[in-house]
């Protein structure tokens, strides 16, 4: 009888513990990541326009809307900053889990400008699309976190310049970046 009660109590405790763990969200790939490309790397990859990339992944700050039935709930916000030369370009991505990583839809800049006549990678003073800034994917690798451009990616530059950085998945030099974990202070 004692063993039956002890077994039942242990099962109840385990069930309560499991419910607590489920209630505590685990944010996949959360953390701060960075890669700074040195002169030797850039010399060997002359077509690469990205000099530095920093990424911060955290629990989403966007609350769920009651009754909103999204096929993939937003789990994380990813703040991606990329430097081309001395200029920083950035976007914040709303990320959901897909197969083996996070997919992040880039934020649409409210800045109005004309549409570009070219779709090539680089810094532009125009936009490829007024409604779709593209997306990127985050995948855990043994060496760090791989950031990959999915369709294309538009990152906003300094607001006083009205510039944008475009990256496409077809450009081998600028479509994927392996970032290493770094202290959180580097992402601020």
């Amino acid at each position: 009888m004692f063993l039956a009660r002890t077994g039942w109590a242990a099962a109840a405790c385990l069930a309560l513990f499991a419910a607590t763990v489920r209630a505590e969200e685990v944010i996949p790939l959360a953390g701060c990541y960075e890669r700074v490309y040195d002169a030797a790397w850039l010399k060997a990859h002359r077509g690469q326009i990205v000099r530095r990339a920093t990424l911060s992944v955290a629990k989403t700050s966007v609350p769920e809307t009651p009754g909103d039935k999204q096929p993939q709930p937003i789990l994380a916000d990813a703040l991606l900053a990329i430097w081309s030369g001395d200029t920083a370009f950035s976007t914040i991505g709303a990320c959901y889990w897909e197969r083996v990583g996070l997919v992040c839809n880039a934020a649409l800049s409210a800045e109005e400008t004309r549409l570009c006549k070219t779709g090539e990678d680089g810094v532009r003073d125009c936009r490829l699309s007024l409604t779709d800034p593209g997306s990127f994917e985050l995948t855990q690798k043994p060496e760090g976190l791989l950031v990959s451009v999915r369709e294309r990616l538009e990152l906003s530059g300094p607001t006083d310049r009205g510039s944008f950085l475009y990256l496409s998945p077809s450009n081998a030099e600028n479509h994927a970046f392996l970032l290493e974990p770094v202290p959180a202070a580097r992402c601020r």
Side-chain angles (χ1 to χ4, degrees), residues 5 13 39 54 80-81 97 107-108 123 145 147 160 177:
R5 284 187 187 161
C13 287
T54 303
L80 177 62
W97 189 257
L108 186 62
V123 177
L145 190 68
V147 178
D160 62 333
F177 310 97

Side-chain angles (χ1 to χ4, degrees), residues 11-102:
C13 287
L14 283 173
L16 180 61
F17 177 73
T20 304
V21 170
R22 272 186 249 119
E24 181 67 32
E25 289 184 62
V26 174
I27 305 305
L29 310 178
C32 179
Y33 305 87
E34 183 178 53
R35 174 87 182 260
V36 178
Y37 294 93
D38 62 19
W41 175 276
L42 294 171
K43 185 176 181 182
H45 298 87
R46 294 198 182 272
Q48 184 170 324
I49 58 177
V50 174
R51 303 297 185 241
R52 176 180 167 202
T54 303
L55 175 74
S56 175
V57 180
K59 181 178 177 180
T60 187
S61 59
V62 179
E64 275 190 48
T65 306
D68 188 13
K69 301 291 182 198
Q70 294 185 23
Q72 299 108 348
I74 302 302
L75 300 174
D77 296 333
L79 177 59
L80 177 62
I82 292 180
W83 282 258
S84 180
D86 293 332
T87 306
F89 298 86
S90 63
T91 189
I92 189 161
C95 307
Y96 59 90
W97 189 257
E98 185 179 277
R99 291 179 297 215
V100 295
L102 290 172

Side-chain angles (χ1 to χ4, degrees), residues 16 19 29 63 92 103-104 131 167:
L16 180 61
L29 310 178
I92 189 161
V103 173
C104 306
T131 59
L167 303 174

